[in-house]
Each structure stands twice: as C-alpha cells, then as structure tokens.
C-alpha cells in the first residue's frame, strides 16, 4: 500500500537558516500530498498541499513540489524563524485498498534557535 | 479556521474509570478519524468512520470504542481506563477521498 518516509529529526537550525525536510513516498495511482505542522500542545494544521504532479504548494514562506519522477515532496523554507519550531508531518492519501485513509510519515521535529 | 472541536483538552483520571472523549465537526464531513499520538510524535490510527452507523478499527489495536450516530459527532469511549492509555488523542475529519483532513486540538489524557 501507499507509504511515506520522512527524514529523521530533530533538526536544529539557527534563525534565518535555510530549511529542507525530506519526504519520499510510495504510491499507486495519483495520491494527493500534504504537509502538516503541529505546534506544542496543539493538533495538526494543514501547512500546504499538492494534488497532482509538478504542483507546488506554498504557505507562510514554506514550499513543496510534487515530484512524481523522484516520488518526493520535500518541504523548504528560505529563512526560518523561532516561531517555526514545531513538528512537521508529510502525508498522502491512501489507495483504495487502504480505505482512502491519510497516511502519515513519522514526523520531523524542528527547533529554531535565536 | 477548521470547525472541529475536541473536549476536554486535558483530563487526569484514576485507573478503572470510564471516560468519553468528545469530537464534533460542523463541516458536514462524512469521514472521521481518531489518532493516538505517542511521545515519539508518531500518529497511530485507532478508529475511523465513513458515515453514520459506520465504524472501523484502525491500524493500531485499541481497547477504546467509538460510535457514529450523527454525522457531526464521533465520541471515543474507554470503559476502564489504565495507565497504558495515557496519551494524546487527536480527532480529524475529511470531506472527500483526495482532500486534506482537519484536526481538532487534541485531548491529552493522563491515567493515574
């Protein structure tokens, strides 16, 4: 079935550094891809999404491009802030045999230091 | 702003108590989900529903039960809480097969 692999954390960066969090996937068909963010003590919030190959999702300075040829959806931000410290989850829609459930990666914790 | 709500946000209860975690959404979504999140952050699907009177067990075995009598309401019940049930529980809903899920703020449960 469909699956997601994220780079392991924690990732620690200084403020204004460039961020990349890698996400690769295995899928049949044409899933939608998502990045979610979870701030401490909160639920998950949708950060961005892409529904077809070559789509670029963007929000709050974060970007990710749906790359079917490399089965990747890496999250990037040019200049991180302390307020970006959170856990980031990559996800995709499951295939028919998985009941159409959302499949999540294991999460990557980001810590940004001033 | 997602219209999905969980109550309570925090709960500390004694072993053996029966509890119900509430989840409600006002978006008319058919699909609803319960996830258990461990301290290592990973999300484990424990229950889901594709509509009224439809409930299924998820990928992680759980001693909890759920019901879906109304579209907007998807409560989770533990008949006899144990310390091993201590965790964060997240409720989510979706409108379509390729759409994103909306999450509640979570319930952090501690069983002492």
């Amino acid at each position: 079935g469909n699956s997601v692999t994220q780079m392991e954390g924690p990732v620690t960066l200084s403020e204004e550094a460039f961020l990349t969090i890698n996400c690769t996937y295995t899928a049949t068909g044409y899933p939608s891809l998502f990045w979610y963010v979870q701030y401490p003590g909160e639920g998950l919030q949708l950060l961005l999404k892409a529904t077809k190959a070559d789509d670029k999702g963007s929000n709050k300075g974060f970007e990710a491009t749906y790359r079917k040829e490399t089965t990747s959806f890496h999250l990037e931000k040019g200049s991180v802030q302390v307020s970006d410290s959170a856990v980031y989850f990559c996800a995709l829609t499951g295939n028919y045999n998985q009941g159409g459930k959302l499949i999540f990666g294991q999460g990557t914790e980001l810590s940004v230091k001033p | 702003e997602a219209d999905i709500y969980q109550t309570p946000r925090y709960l500390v209860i004694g072993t053996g108590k029966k509890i119900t975690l509430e989840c409600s959404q006002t978006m008319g979504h058919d699909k609803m989900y319960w996830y258990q999140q461990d301290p290592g952050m990973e999300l484990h699907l424990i229950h889901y529903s594709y509509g009224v009177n439809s409930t299924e067990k998820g990928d992680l075995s759980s001693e909890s039960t759920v019901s879906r009598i109304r579209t907007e309401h998807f409560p989770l019940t533990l008949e006899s809480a144990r310390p091993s049930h201590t965790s964060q529980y997240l409720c989510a809903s979706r409108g379509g097969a390729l759409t994103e899920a909306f999450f509640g703020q979570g319930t952090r449960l501690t069983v002492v």
Side-chain angles (χ1 to χ4, degrees), chain A residues 32 36 38 41-42 49 99-100, chain B residues 9 37 50 94 100-101 105:
Chain A
S32 293
Y36 282 84
Q38 184 178 31
E42 301 292 325
K49 66 179 181 181
Chain B
R9 288 289 310 277
Q37 186 172 30
Y50 286 160
R94 293 171 70 197
E100 67 269 30
Q105 289 191 295

Side-chain angles (χ1 to χ4, degrees), chain A residues 11-33:
Chain A
V11 174
T12 302
L13 295 173
S14 298
E15 207 165 22
E16 299 184 3
F18 184 85
L19 168 71
T20 300
I21 300 178
N22 290 339
C23 172
T24 57
Y25 67 89
T26 302
T28 55
Y30 302 94
S32 293
L33 302 176

Side-chain angles (χ1 to χ4, degrees), chain B:
Chain B
E1 190 83 16
D3 295 318
I4 179 165
Y5 307 100
Q6 288 186 243
T7 56
R9 288 289 310 277
Y10 304 94
L11 180 62
V12 180
I13 60 166
T15 298
K17 299 291 186 184
K18 177 180 179 179
I19 59 165
T20 296
L21 308 185
E22 302 288 349
C23 177
S24 295
Q25 50 96 5
T26 59
M27 296 173 282
H29 289 167
D30 286 329
K31 299 173 179 59
M32 295 190 75
Y33 308 84
W34 276 104
Y35 291 87
Q36 185 173 338
Q37 186 172 30
D38 59 27
M41 306 175 303
E42 194 165 350
L43 297 165
H44 301 286
L45 181 66
I46 53 175
H47 298 284
Y48 60 99
S49 168
Y50 286 160
V52 172
N53 295 325
S54 152
T55 60
E56 301 285 345
K57 289 191 179 297
D59 305 320
L60 180 69
S61 175
S62 173
E63 293 166 347
S64 59
T65 59
V66 292
S67 62
R68 190 86 183 277
I69 298 171
R70 304 198 314 266
T71 296
E72 62 271 22
H73 196 212
F74 191 41
L76 180 146
T77 297
L78 277 167
E79 291 291 335
S80 180
R82 294 208 300 270
S84 60
H85 297 139
T86 294
S87 189
Q88 163 120 300
Y89 293 84
L90 295 170
C91 180
S93 73
R94 293 171 70 197
L98 295 179
T99 63
E100 67 269 30
F102 295 89
F103 281 80
Q105 289 191 295
T107 295
R108 182 162 296 283
L109 172 66
T110 303
V111 184
V112 297

